[in-house]
């Protein structure tokens, strides 16, 4: 455990993408931490706990939703789908329902349009990644970027169907690739979002290590 802890601290403090987010990340830190916790719980086959962790993250930010979908595929293979789905999808829905009932248009604006860069207020996230450049420089750019993002999502979906994750480490690998694609292709994106795929990739070796017996959760 010692060397792994040292490497984790080094990754968090030395890598610019990690250090930047630690300094100014806001809600990204708890969201990412909860997603990593969910992956760790999944590695121990504690799918109820994994669902609660990623569900709380999903109630905070959309970036946790792809992780929930990947873990759902794993949970189905491990016969823990019901326990996982209750928290993973129930908690975000419970968080959205009151806002939707109070103001449906405002909820759609904040949850859907704003992250796609098509909201009434322009997102300050404007790092020069392909999705942002396409959305701002090309005619019909926002639509093109949205189609590319959708295509990437479909590609990840096909990957999950053809080669579903068999353990938490392979699930983390899918999350890393998917979040990297999303970060690069979203119309409203920022450099700090690269922390998500970087963290999931760094989590793979730890999740691959054999774990001792634990209580089911």
């Amino acid at each position: 455990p010692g060397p792994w802890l040292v490497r984790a601290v080094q990754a968090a403090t030395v890598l610019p993408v990690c250090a930047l987010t630690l300094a100014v990340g806001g809600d990204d830190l708890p969201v990412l931490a909860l997603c990593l916790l969910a992956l760790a719980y999944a590695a121990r086959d504690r799918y109820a706990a994994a669902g609660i962790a990623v569900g709380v993250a999903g109630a905070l930010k959309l970036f946790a939703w792809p992780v929930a979908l990947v873990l759902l595929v794993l949970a189905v293979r491990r016969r823990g789908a019901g326990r996982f789905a209750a928290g993973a999808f129930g908690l975000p829905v419970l968080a959205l329902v009151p806002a939707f009932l109070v103001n449906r248009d405002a909820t759609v604006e904040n949850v859907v349009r704003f992250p796609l860069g098509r909201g009434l207020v322009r997102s300050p996230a404007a790092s020069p990644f392909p999705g942002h450049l396409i959305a701002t420089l090309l005619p019909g750019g926002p639509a093109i970027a949205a189609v590319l993002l959708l295509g990437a999502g479909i590609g990840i979906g096909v990957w999950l169907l053809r080669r579903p994750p068999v353990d938490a480490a392979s699930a983390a690998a899918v999350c890393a690739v998917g979040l990297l694609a999303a970060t690069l292709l979203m119309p409203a994106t920022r450099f700090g979002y690269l922390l998500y795929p970087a963290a999931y990739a760094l989590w793979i070796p730890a999740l691959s290590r054999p774990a001792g017996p634990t209580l089911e959760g």
Side-chain angles (χ1 to χ4, degrees):
W4 282 102
L5 179 59
V6 172
R7 291 177 186 176
V9 173
Q10 289 174 335
T13 56
V14 176
L15 292 177
V17 65
C18 297
L20 176 64
T21 306
L22 283 173
V24 299
D27 60 356
D28 289 307
L29 293 179
V31 169
L32 178 57
L34 286 165
C35 289
L36 294 175
L37 179 61
L39 286 164
Y41 276 134
R44 301 293 186 95
D45 288 330
R46 297 181 60 180
Y47 289 104
I52 292 172
V54 79
V56 173
L60 292 172
K61 195 162 189 170
L62 292 176
F63 265 46
W65 292 16
V67 179
L69 291 174
V70 173
L71 285 177
L72 176 62
V73 176
L74 176 61
V76 169
R77 288 179 61 92
R78 296 296 187 92
R79 299 180 181 179
R83 289 176 290 147
F84 175 80
F89 303 105
L91 291 175
V93 169
L94 287 176
L96 282 174
V97 165
F100 192 83
L101 292 176
V102 171
N103 193 324
R104 180 177 60 185
D105 291 338
T107 303
V108 174
E109 172 72 19
N110 283 276
V111 175
V112 179
R113 298 193 190 111
F114 181 78
L116 290 176
R118 308 192 70 172
L120 297 175
V121 177
R122 192 175 184 86
S123 173
S127 295
F129 289 137
H132 176 72
L133 295 177
I134 291 171
T136 55
L137 299 179
L138 294 182
I144 296 173
V147 170
L148 290 174
L149 185 60
L150 178 62
I154 293 173
I156 296 296
V158 172
W159 179 9
L160 287 171
L161 289 175
R162 294 178 64 89
R163 298 186 62 182
V166 296
D167 54 23
S170 56
V174 178
C175 293
V177 174
L179 268 295
L180 177 61
T183 300
L184 295 178
L185 294 176
M186 285 191 306
T189 186
R190 52 169 52 102
F191 180 74
Y193 290 161
L194 289 174
L195 176 63
Y196 285 89
Y200 297 140
L202 288 171
W203 209 227
I204 294 172
L207 295 173
S208 301
R209 301 173 67 196
T214 60
L215 296 176
E216 290 292 325

